[in-house]
Amino acid sequence: MTRAKHRKRRPLLTLLLILALFSLAGVAVHRFLPPLATILMVKQAAAGHGMDYRWRSLDRISPRLVEAVIAAEDARFCQHHGFDVEAIQKAMEANERAEQRGSDKRRGASTISQQTAKNVFLWPGRDWVRKGLEAGYTGLIEIGWGKRRIMEMYLNVAEWAPGVYGAEAASRHWFNKSADKLTASEAARLAAILPSPRRYKAANSGPYVRRRAARIQAAMGTVRQQGLDACVDRR
């Protein structure tokens, strides 16, 4: 390699090193401290939706909600290492069939770990840069945090209504109670609205949410019986 090429590559390598150190530092800090806010929270607040965000440790959140989100969002949460290869393959096959039919509907395969990485560190969107960063952060939190911390973070920063973030704020917003008092039915309804929390309601729900919540609540029994939440230490 000539000296000229080496000089040209040096700024790029320096930038990559800075980004890597920044990412590692962020993951290390949030292993122990909750985020003050996320990019989505700030964006929604700027749009006039406010920000109701109340951090609670996992011990102060009903285990029914853990079961509900695993049943609804990521049944293999305790088995994969951040990426569910089987779900990705099924999603690709389903999307290929949808494309052949001329349908715009696309099936996703994001795990709870991927969603947590996106929610905590990145911005909303579907561009390839963000997806690449999401993959990197997902690997880092799987190694640096472990499943319990990932679940704790996920339940605390997920959006459950416009401007409402985390299980505690969601529980009080929809059911006027603290998150540790959630019943199985209430937890299932909260999990049922996660794909579109600005569109659906967990309380006074419409037919779609009621049907989806009923399926989730039934699946929560499987989560308990088969120990699909065993990696989330409920000390």
Side-chain angles (χ1 to χ4, degrees):
M1 183 185 296
T2 66
R3 290 184 178 180
K5 288 183 178 180
H6 183 73
R7 285 196 297 269
K8 287 181 180 179
R9 289 191 175 186
R10 187 177 299 169
L12 177 59
L13 292 174
T14 301
L15 176 60
L16 292 174
L17 179 60
I18 292 172
L19 289 174
L21 292 174
F22 180 81
S23 300
L24 289 170
V27 170
V29 167
H30 292 311
R31 171 65 179 85
F32 304 100
L33 299 176
L36 297 176
T38 66
I39 295 175
L40 177 62
M41 292 178 191
V42 173
K43 181 179 178 181
Q44 286 290 89
H49 296 295
M51 188 172 73
D52 186 0
Y53 167 49
R54 315 181 193 191
W55 180 273
R56 292 292 183 272
S57 70
L58 196 59
D59 291 326
R60 297 176 62 190
I61 298 174
S62 170
R64 303 290 84 76
L65 190 57
V66 174
E67 295 165 1
V69 298
I70 288 177
E73 298 287 299
D74 188 1
R76 293 167 55 84
F77 176 67
C78 287
Q79 300 173 31
H80 63 64
H81 299 288
F83 307 94
D84 190 339
V85 177
E86 181 179 326
I88 292 171
Q89 291 175 338
K90 289 181 178 179
M92 292 175 62
E93 292 169 359
N95 292 338
E96 185 177 349
R97 291 193 296 269
E99 186 175 347
Q100 292 172 352
R101 295 194 302 269
S103 173
D104 293 330
K105 292 184 178 180
R106 291 293 181 268
R107 176 176 171 179
S110 290
T111 63
I112 285 175
S113 301
Q114 288 175 272
Q115 293 177 56
T116 303
K118 176 195 69 176
N119 290 342
V120 175
F121 298 107
L122 303 171
W123 59 92
R126 296 179 178 275
D127 57 275
W128 287 105
V129 172
R130 202 224 65 189
K131 293 298 290 184
L133 291 171
E134 177 188 301
Y137 272 114
T138 298
L140 288 176
I141 65 174
E142 280 279 336
I143 295 170
W145 289 1
K147 295 293 188 179
R148 177 180 170 85
R149 181 60 172 179
I150 291 172
M151 178 60 71
E152 183 174 57
M153 189 71 77
Y154 176 73
L155 293 180
N156 273 287
V157 303
E159 185 180 25
W160 304 83
V164 177
Y165 305 93
E168 180 67 19
S171 182
R172 294 192 179 277
H173 176 82
W174 291 117
F175 305 116
N176 196 30
K177 62 170 62 174
S178 59
D180 62 337
K181 304 298 184 184
L182 286 169
T183 65
S185 174
E186 291 163 346
R189 278 186 276 168
L190 284 176
I193 67 170
L194 273 176
S196 301
R198 300 173 207 167
R199 178 180 178 185
Y200 298 117
K201 299 179 179 180
N204 301 316
S205 309
Y208 168 78
V209 172
R210 289 198 299 269
R211 290 194 300 269
R212 178 169 163 78
R215 291 194 297 269
I216 291 171
Q217 189 170 351
M220 288 164 62
T222 302
V223 172
R224 287 193 299 273
Q225 293 165 10
Q226 297 186 7
L228 301 182
D229 60 344
C231 61
V232 183
D233 183 6
R234 301 292 303 171
R235 289 172 293 179

